[in-house]
Amino acid sequence: MGRNDKGARSSWRLLRENGGLGLAAISYVSVDYLRYLSPSWHERLQPSLWIALSIAAVTRVPFYRNWTAELRAAIPFLASIIIMLSALLFEALSVRFSTAVLGLDWHVSASPLPDTGQWLLLSLNEKLPRLVVDILRAHIVGLHHFLMLFIMLGFSVLFNSIRAPGLGLAARYMFTMAIGRLLRAITFVSTILPSVRPWCASSRFAVPAHPHPWAQKYYVPYASDSNTIRMLIQSDNHFATVKDYPAEYRPDWGKMSFLIDILRPNVAEGSAWYQLLKKAGGGCNDLMYSGHMLVAVLTAMAWMEAYGGWTSALIWFLVLHSAQREIRERHHYSVDVVVAIYVGILLWKMTGFVWSNKDTSKSKRLAKLDELHGRLTHAAKDSDIDDIRELLKEVELAGQERGGFPQWMIYVFAVIATAFSLAFVLLAFTLTSDG
């Protein structure tokens, strides 16, 4: 009986540490999809699921043994938040500029670019079975799902499902995403591409219909006449006559007046510059590359490295499903999705210095052993057992974390970190629930 009990406990521990997170992830996605199949059941089950997951996480907090490692990771985590917010601010400014600089008339008249990925999906709609097409069209996952899946991955450190510290993994995730969003903003603001949805700008933005003075001078005169373009290439100097356009609205923003030419405000949108950024959203010209896909890929990469197993394969399937939906529903061109996938993979591979699933203590011990190799050899020749013990103790200590914290500090940090994490989950879910 004792062996059976021990085997049962081992099996339960194995399920909890290697299978429980996957089951929780499937439950979350499945329950959330009930909003399309049975809204009444969705309203009942979703709050119950979140309450159950929250209670499970909170009850594990007193038994978590790696709060010291979490406390060490707190500063990189907070730094990654600051970098992330800065990147999002730059991205919001870039989104508004790229939409406003050419005016609404350009967005309405510009034709979408030819996209062979869209052609392929339309062709498959005619050839695949109806059930398969319906599955491809289904809104199984969105942006908030991938964010929640990562948050569940981070909280699973309380159940020893991933390597501690969880805040280290979160710091890497946000830092990588910040770099990705910054590169994305630099990319799409460099060359303005027409939207896949030509009606988007006029329905969401109140920017002027005519182009900004910069575009009036340097773009409009050379936009369509091939002879003028040839002359511009030869002279490499502006020479065309600029047409007359309405004057630009220039509110008094004080020290922030330098943003007027970037945000291009309108009387109807209010007088505060930050109100324009709140309306930026996803923009209404094509934003190379897809921000949604970047989040999805980083979530999949985090799961694959930190957790692995069959759940990672499932999440990669959800990434691919989301990718074809981005193209199918014309949120992005195919190139935006393809670039987001390989940029996300490469960026995650480059930021392993922030957090890694590899056991660094082993490499530290090996390095220390190599350093003390000569002294160990000399002590062995002299049969100095005490000296050998001391040297081996140095090797063992080399793989351990140094410097502790007072117990009260760890308790306070545990409470603050748990409350902050749960509030962050609620905030993220609320702000991204509409995709």
Side-chain angles (χ1 to χ4, degrees), residues 106-154:
W106 181 85
H107 288 278
V108 173
S109 61
S111 300
L113 300 175
D115 189 340
T116 55
Q118 294 171 358
W119 306 348
L120 175 62
L121 291 175
L122 289 174
S123 174
L124 290 176
N125 289 346
E126 301 172 351
K127 295 177 173 59
L128 294 175
R130 180 69 182 183
L131 177 61
V132 176
V133 175
D134 288 340
I135 293 175
L136 293 176
R137 290 173 175 171
H139 292 201
I140 299 176
V141 290
L143 173 64
H144 65 287
H145 292 100
F146 287 110
L147 290 174
M148 289 302 126
L149 286 172
F150 174 78
I151 291 173
M152 291 172 67
L153 178 68

Side-chain angles (χ1 to χ4, degrees), residues 122-311:
L122 289 174
S123 174
L124 290 176
N125 289 346
E126 301 172 351
K127 295 177 173 59
L128 294 175
R130 180 69 182 183
L131 177 61
V132 176
V133 175
D134 288 340
I135 293 175
L136 293 176
R137 290 173 175 171
H139 292 201
I140 299 176
V141 290
L143 173 64
H144 65 287
H145 292 100
F146 287 110
L147 290 174
M148 289 302 126
L149 286 172
F150 174 78
I151 291 173
M152 291 172 67
L153 178 68
F155 269 97
S156 71
V157 73
L158 297 172
F159 301 88
N160 300 319
S161 295
I162 65 171
R163 183 179 180 82
L167 288 181
L169 175 62
R172 180 179 179 183
Y173 185 76
M174 288 192 293
F175 176 75
T176 308
M177 191 181 300
I179 300 301
R181 307 296 289 209
L182 181 62
L183 293 175
R184 175 181 185 246
I186 294 173
T187 301
F188 70 69
V189 81
S190 300
T191 301
I192 300 175
L193 303 175
S195 174
V196 196
R197 299 182 171 193
W199 63 87
C200 176
S202 58
S203 63
R204 290 180 50 197
F205 288 86
V207 297
H210 59 278
H212 185 275
W214 296 343
Q216 295 172 20
K217 183 176 181 180
Y218 299 115
Y219 170 72
V220 175
Y222 315 103
S224 57
D225 188 351
S226 58
N227 291 326
T228 307
I229 296 174
R230 185 180 293 108
M231 293 171 61
L232 177 65
I233 295 173
Q234 293 173 351
S235 65
D236 195 28
N237 282 302
H238 163 70
F239 62 86
T241 303
V242 178
K243 299 179 180 179
D244 291 330
Y245 290 95
E248 295 289 299
Y249 171 63
R250 304 189 69 85
D252 183 10
W253 284 352
K255 294 181 179 180
M256 306 301 294
S257 294
F258 69 93
L259 292 176
I260 292 176
D261 285 319
I262 297 175
L263 300 180
R264 210 179 177 201
N266 193 306
V267 179
E269 293 183 296
S271 57
W273 64 271
Y274 55 84
Q275 291 180 348
L276 304 182
L277 296 182
K278 292 195 297 183
K279 298 177 181 179
C284 275
N285 55 296
D286 181 60
L287 304 182
M288 165 80 78
Y289 38 87
S290 171
H292 285 61
M293 288 308 304
L294 178 66
V295 173
V297 170
L298 292 183
T299 300
M301 291 297 293
W303 272 76
M304 188 169 66
E305 178 171 343
Y307 191 69
W310 59 270
T311 315

Side-chain angles (χ1 to χ4, degrees), residues 11-25:
S11 299
W12 169 249
R13 187 181 301 110
L14 184 64
L15 174 64
R16 185 190 69 190
E17 296 183 358
N18 297 314
L21 180 59
L23 295 176

